[in-house]
Amino acid sequence: MSKFTFETLEGWLWDSVNILQSSANSSDFKNYIFSLLFLKRFNDVFEEKVAKRMDQEGLNREDAEKKVDFKIPSEARWQYLTKQTENIGTALDKALEAIERENQSLEGVMTAVKFDRQETLSSKVLQRLLHHFDKYSLQNKDLESGNLLGNAFEYLIKQFADSAGKEGDEFYTPRGVASLIVHLIKPQPGHHVYDPTYGSGGMLIESARYVADQPGGIKNGVVDIALFGQEKKTSTWAIGRINMILHNFESADLQKGDTLVNPRHTHAQKGLQVFDRIIANPPFSLNGWWMPVENAAEAATNGEYEINRESPNYAKEVNDPFERLVYGVPPRSYADFAFLQHVLASLQKNGKAGIVLPHGALCRGGSEGKIRQALLQDDLVEGIVGLPSALFCNTDIPVAVWILNKDKNPAQKGRVAIVEASRDYQKGEKQNQLLETHINKIVKTYEVFADVDKYMRIVPLEEIAENDYNLDISRYVSTSESEPAGDTTEVKQRIADIEVHDRDIDVKISDFLRKIQS
């Protein structure tokens, strides 16, 4: 029997979307499909492990099931679910609840999606979906490679992000952008890596891929990296958790909740947990970010916050118990520097971070200008990399990667590397892409840390201060082409010709006036 290939898996999974087309809201497709994919995989691996125990140890089925390192109750077995003909949504919800009950590490992951929605998701449609997912085995022995499901899951995430438009940015960072940042901050074996707004987890997985390729990156068959993240939206948190499991990073510490309001990676005595590397793509210019802090009417619900936005208390000052906003409080309409200061506060004293922010953060004034000035004066900004526009789902907003470094080397101190990479991309039908060639060009240039005409400058802080700490890339790196020098002989001849022509016109006018007067 031939192995299950990525091409087959890709088409099979995308066909499941067609089954849902006429029933569910397109924004919910990913949640249903991801959950069923994981449920099928969970069952198939369980059956594979049971069969292996029975074959190798001569056990009966009951004893073999007890020796498997995770549990699937009878009501969550795939064979049981595919035989259901009525109230299938209810049966699926009970199955997912039962799996969570028996496997504490999956708490909140399976039940983030609700299938019992008769008004939009009938038993007939769910039955078709179950039979569709029953077509192939997802046991390890039937897959072409060990990372097949992880790659397929990433493929689906990207496809759903593309179709979701602007909302797709909430859970997906283009792989090219993630790869670029990882190669700029260079996580090492043994590092603790953190993403405060991890979405579907792609940036953390990209960090692990990078470490796996480093000398000593694989230890006892496992990538030597510890992954941490937090995500506000429950359904997105669950997708990220599944993504980690399918990529064999079950131990990743992924927390639910609003990172700015309630950071979950903390120590009882020491405050925020700190990390060796931080990689982040927070929501661009998030509005109303401090309302949960200033509003007494908030209530926590499933890791999210219900806020009375009709009557915010504008007089109340922001009071951050984690003392992250040491460089100033950003305006309520732009959370960019709130996320950046959270990143700094969560960074080891010799740590390094890469964070994507909109171009406005480079040059806006007011309180943001003061924060930017303080960051630069404390010499925490190692580099700014301006990226092409239209890299993200359905938005043309230009962005830049900020490289933060708490332990600059002597060559970096008192200077900021500013890269103008806005022309490094491949144009796409819906969005532009950073290819490996573009990433290599940016990274190799950045590593040299020397001026490159019309591409990168190493700018002293004194020059930035003269520009009122404005980091607008065009102030420091000019990409305009100078006008070619003209042929002076040709220009002089043209001027002489014009003067002769003018004299001829003057003579004709004089002759005409004399005729009129006579």
Side-chain angles (χ1 to χ4, degrees):
M1 181 178 175
S2 60
K3 297 283 188 177
F4 199 16
T5 66
F6 179 81
E7 290 73 20
T8 305
L9 181 59
E10 176 186 329
W12 177 59
L13 290 174
W14 204 245
D15 283 345
S16 63
V17 175
N18 296 328
I19 296 174
L20 286 169
Q21 288 281 10
S22 60
S23 301
N25 188 305
S26 60
S27 62
D28 294 328
F29 286 178
K30 65 181 185 303
N31 301 322
Y32 299 132
I33 292 172
F34 290 160
S35 291
L36 285 179
L37 173 65
F38 190 61
L39 180 61
K40 178 66 161 62
R41 166 69 171 172
F42 205 63
N43 268 274
D44 284 357
V45 171
F46 180 78
E47 291 298 325
E48 185 175 31
K49 290 192 172 189
V50 169
K52 188 175 181 180
R53 291 280 187 180
M54 293 172 66
D55 180 55
Q56 294 182 350
E57 301 176 34
L59 301 174
N60 60 38
R61 183 174 179 90
E62 183 179 358
D63 290 337
E65 285 187 3
K66 292 177 181 178
K67 288 205 167 188
V68 175
D69 53 0
F70 57 90
K71 308 299 177 187
I72 301 185
S74 57
E75 65 267 40
R77 300 286 171 92
W78 190 257
Q79 288 185 335
Y80 168 79
L81 293 169
T82 53
K83 291 178 182 177
Q84 302 306 302
T85 58
E86 297 180 349
N87 300 318
I88 296 178
T90 301
L92 282 169
D93 285 347
K94 288 182 178 178
L96 299 175
E97 289 171 5
I99 288 176
E100 282 192 12
R101 185 176 63 245
E102 297 296 326
N103 303 273
Q104 291 186 356
S105 64
L106 294 176
E107 183 179 354
V109 175
M110 310 300 289
T111 55
V113 179
K114 300 298 180 186
F115 284 89
D116 188 11
R117 295 182 174 180
Q118 290 287 343
E119 68 282 0
T120 58
L121 210 56
S122 67
S123 286
K124 185 177 180 180
V125 169
L126 289 174
Q127 189 176 48
R128 284 185 63 199
L129 266 180
L130 286 170
H131 289 162
H132 177 74
F133 274 90
D134 197 37
K135 186 176 179 180
Y136 293 106
S137 165
L138 297 179
Q139 293 186 9
N140 291 315
K141 65 181 179 63
D142 296 320
L143 303 181
E144 186 179 49
S145 65
N147 58 4
L148 179 66
L149 279 178
N151 292 340
F153 199 77
E154 282 188 81
Y155 161 80
L156 274 181
I157 289 172
K158 182 183 185 306
Q159 296 303 312
F160 283 125
D162 288 345
S163 62
K166 190 174 181 180
E167 292 180 3
D169 289 337
E170 295 180 5
F171 60 87
Y172 178 72
T173 298
R175 186 169 177 181
V177 176
S179 178
L180 171 64
I181 301 174
V182 169
H183 280 78
L184 289 171
I185 64 174
K186 299 183 179 355
Q188 298 299 306
H191 271 179
H192 287 53
V193 180
Y194 170 59
D195 184 344
T197 53
Y198 78 82
S200 54
M203 295 175 81
L204 289 174
I205 290 170
E206 201 63 37
S207 300
R209 285 194 182 106
Y210 180 87
V211 168
D213 289 337
Q214 305 308 305
I218 305 293
K219 194 173 183 180
N220 298 322
V222 178
V223 182
D224 188 15
I225 191 172
L227 302 176
F228 302 80
Q230 183 165 339
E231 173 56 42
K232 179 179 179 180
K233 194 171 182 180
T234 301
S235 59
T236 303
W237 168 84
I239 290 171
R241 187 81 179 88
I242 293 172
N243 198 13
M244 288 294 172
I245 293 171
L246 292 178
H247 279 90
N248 301 313
F249 296 116
E250 293 90 345
S251 61
D253 182 352
L254 306 178
Q255 299 292 326
K256 285 183 289 185
D258 187 325
T259 303
L260 294 182
V261 176
N262 184 26
R264 300 296 300 274
H265 292 93
T266 60
H267 297 296
Q269 303 296 328
K270 299 179 182 178
L272 292 176
Q273 185 176 349
V274 292
F275 304 92
D276 302 293
R277 294 290 186 270
I278 299 178
I279 184 167
N281 175 27
F284 297 153
S285 301
L286 183 67
N287 189 17
W289 65 272
W290 73 13
M291 284 185 182
V293 183
E294 68 183 2
N295 196 321
E298 70 179 32
T301 307
N302 293 327
E304 301 179 39
Y305 286 82
E306 294 178 350
I307 306 162
N308 177 8
R309 296 185 180 275
E310 299 300 319
S311 57
N313 181 0
Y314 292 102
K316 187 173 181 180
E317 294 183 0
V318 173
N319 179 25
D320 177 28
F322 298 97
E323 299 181 348
R324 294 168 291 180
L325 306 178
V326 294
Y327 292 102
V329 178
R332 74 181 68 242
S333 53
Y334 297 106
D336 303 317
F337 281 111
F339 282 112
L340 186 146
Q341 289 186 86
H342 171 79
V343 166
L344 277 174
S346 304
L347 200 59
Q348 287 273 21
K349 61 183 180 180
N350 60 348
K352 201 168 183 179
I355 178 171
V356 183
L357 296 178
H359 261 217
L362 297 171
C363 55
R364 288 191 295 254
S367 59
E368 290 185 300
K370 293 177 181 178
I371 294 170
R372 191 170 54 247
Q373 176 178 340
L375 291 169
L376 288 162
Q377 288 175 333
D378 272 6
D379 209 4
L380 293 167
V381 182
E382 176 187 301
I384 300 291
V385 181
L387 296 183
S389 61
L391 286 176
F392 295 84
C393 303
N394 273 17
T395 178
D396 290 335
I397 185 171
V399 300
V401 177
W402 292 57
I403 304 299
L404 307 175
N405 189 347
K406 283 190 172 182
D407 188 27
K408 285 186 174 184
N409 64 40
Q412 296 166 337
K413 287 182 178 179
R415 304 196 290 172
V416 177
I418 298 183
V419 183
E420 168 50 281
S422 63
R423 293 174 293 182
D424 294 328
Y425 66 92
Q426 176 175 280
K427 189 170 181 59
E429 187 176 334
K430 291 185 177 180
Q431 64 191 82
N432 295 327
Q433 287 184 295
L434 279 179
L435 303 182
E436 188 174 352
T437 53
H438 305 127
I439 295 168
N440 288 339
K441 176 186 175 184
I442 295 169
V443 172
K444 287 180 180 178
T445 304
Y446 189 90
E447 288 174 345
V448 174
F449 215 76
D451 290 354
V452 177
D453 189 39
K454 295 182 175 58
Y455 195 73
M456 181 171 89
R457 275 196 64 211
I458 308 303
V459 186
L461 289 178
E462 292 82 4
E463 182 178 342
I464 296 174
E466 290 172 2
N467 282 302
D468 294 326
Y469 297 95
N470 187 319
L471 287 174
D472 188 339
I473 294 170
S474 62
R475 286 176 178 251
Y476 305 99
V477 183
S478 174
T479 59
S480 61
E481 299 293 335
S482 58
E483 291 292 329
D487 185 336
T488 56
T489 302
E490 181 183 350
V491 172
K492 288 178 180 178
Q493 182 60 52
R494 290 180 62 188
I495 292 173
D497 291 343
I498 292 171
E499 289 175 346
V500 170
H501 182 65
D502 287 346
R503 285 197 297 270
D504 287 343
I505 292 175
D506 289 341
V507 170
K508 289 179 181 179
I509 291 174
S510 297
D511 289 345
F512 181 73
L513 290 174
R514 281 196 300 270
K515 289 178 182 179
I516 292 175
Q517 292 172 355
S518 62

